[in-house]
Amino acid sequence: MIPLIKVKLGEEEKNAVMDVLNSGNLAQGPKVKQLEEEFAQLCGVKYAVAVNSGTAALHTALYTIGIKPGDEVITVPFTFVATANAIMMQGAKPIFVDIKEDTFNIDSEKIRNLITEKTKAILAVDLFGHPCEYDKLWNIANEFGLNIIEDSCQAVCAENNKGEKAGSLGDIAAFSFYATKNLITGEGGIITTNNKKYAELAKRFRHHGQSEQTNYEYRNLGYNYRMTDIMAAIGLCQIKKIKEMTKKRQKNAELFTAGLQNIKGIIPPIIKNDVIHVFHQYTIKITKDFSLTRDELIQRLNKTGIGTGIFYPKPLHLHPHFSKLGYKEGDFPVSEKISKEVLSLPINPHITEENIEKIIKVIKEVGER
Ligand SMILES: *Cc1c(COP(=O)(O)O)cnc(C)c1O
């Protein structure tokens, strides 16, 4: 079996976890602090605040920039549900905007029409590890006085074409360290920012709104979003390996793209504007021109022992939870079309070159028939 996702931890992680267990300090402690320092450095920002999931990171980010009930936040329907749910956790409304067909990311051309007096922020998702067009987003944000939040849950170590890292491209960013992401701690997440006030508010929010100065004095509503030192110890080992693991993903993507070029009805993912794409997923599109339907291809691949994934099978606005907000089929035609075409292939750092060739061969064989 060639699984879509393969996670391999080393002796380093096991030893690091044992050290924490032996220390007796299981809650948020020195390892979390060290993780924050090293992760901030990795992203080229001044501050990082660790929390216990990517969802918590998004919620915290929205809180720190002051999103309140009644506000509107612009985001995409073609993303993981947590992006839009975090907006609703602050009592605000997700205002969906369609994506671009080539990068799967937010279509900045379509944002202006959606801005109202209630609009406070743009929540941009660096989907599959390809950063959004932040230059264009900043032009809009500056014109209308909006904040930009980066959902970089899939984009650790991604960069724009000026060498600026994901996590430093908005006012504040959210990352996930969930068990299948590029950098993992099991569950876990972190926010990054250059804004000291946002970092302080985030620390308050993750611990019940407790004052920075006085223990057991609470200034506002907060949550228990704290990370543990056990998680942070794994994260610190992962930071040491992330550059190498990312290079493997990029190399794998190159092999796939070279092999899947010029097959009728198969469109490999692109890297636009010379950004650094970190390929959390390697997602091809299967159009009507291909000899099989997507389902037939999946079946063929599965029969050969090749795992695949569909991210995401249905855009958010078509789920009952969001259609209640007034969205309906036809509202976001690109997201709707793309969700029927996408197929993610195994790109994890542990897949062998031979297995990549095997996957390409299966697709080519059925494609040429
Ligand atoms: C994984 C992910 C999240 C949520 O992260 P969790 O750690 O699972 O809470 C949010 N947004 C995107 C785009 C993600 O991929």
Side-chain angles (χ1 to χ4, degrees), residues 52-56 58 79-83 125-127 151-154 175-178 181 187-189 280 312:
N52 50 26
S53 73
T55 308
L58 283 166
T79 178
F80 183 56
V81 63
T83 312
V125 184
D126 302 327
L127 202 72
D151 181 341
S152 18
C153 284
Q154 304 185 355
F175 290 87
S176 167
F177 300 148
Y178 178 67
K181 294 279 157 64
E187 296 282 359
H280 172 60
Y312 296 89

Side-chain angles (χ1 to χ4, degrees), residues 92-109:
K93 183 176 178 189
I95 302 296
F96 291 128
V97 58
D98 216 346
I99 56 164
K100 288 190 126 162
E101 199 159 340
D102 52 0
T103 58
F104 308 110
N105 280 341
I106 191 164
D107 187 343
S108 49
E109 309 296 323

Side-chain angles (χ1 to χ4, degrees), residues 5-55:
I5 289 154
K6 185 162 180 177
V7 175
K8 261 196 202 164
L9 296 170
E11 289 305 311
E12 314 80 79
E13 281 90 352
K14 290 174 197 166
N15 292 333
V17 168
M18 282 312 292
D19 286 347
V20 173
L21 296 184
N22 289 329
S23 80
N25 192 349
L26 306 190
Q28 181 183 299
K31 294 290 176 197
V32 170
K33 186 155 185 289
Q34 193 186 339
L35 178 74
E36 291 172 340
E37 285 164 8
E38 292 192 17
F39 197 81
Q41 211 169 18
L42 185 71
C43 297
V45 295
K46 290 191 188 137
Y47 310 102
V49 179
V51 291
N52 50 26
S53 73
T55 308

Side-chain angles (χ1 to χ4, degrees), residues 263-306:
I263 302 177
K264 210 171 157 220
I266 297 277
I267 305 174
I270 65 152
I271 300 173
K272 209 173 168 187
N273 300 330
D274 300 317
V275 299
I276 304 287
H277 188 332
V278 295
F279 290 98
H280 172 60
Q281 296 294 350
Y282 182 86
T283 302
I284 61 173
K285 283 178 283 195
I286 296 156
T287 71
K288 289 197 177 68
D289 296 335
F290 192 62
S291 48
L292 302 182
T293 66
R294 179 174 66 176
D295 280 349
E296 288 166 345
L297 178 61
I298 292 169
Q299 269 175 14
R300 187 68 62 101
L301 288 164
N302 288 355
K303 228 186 276 166
T304 331
I306 298 161

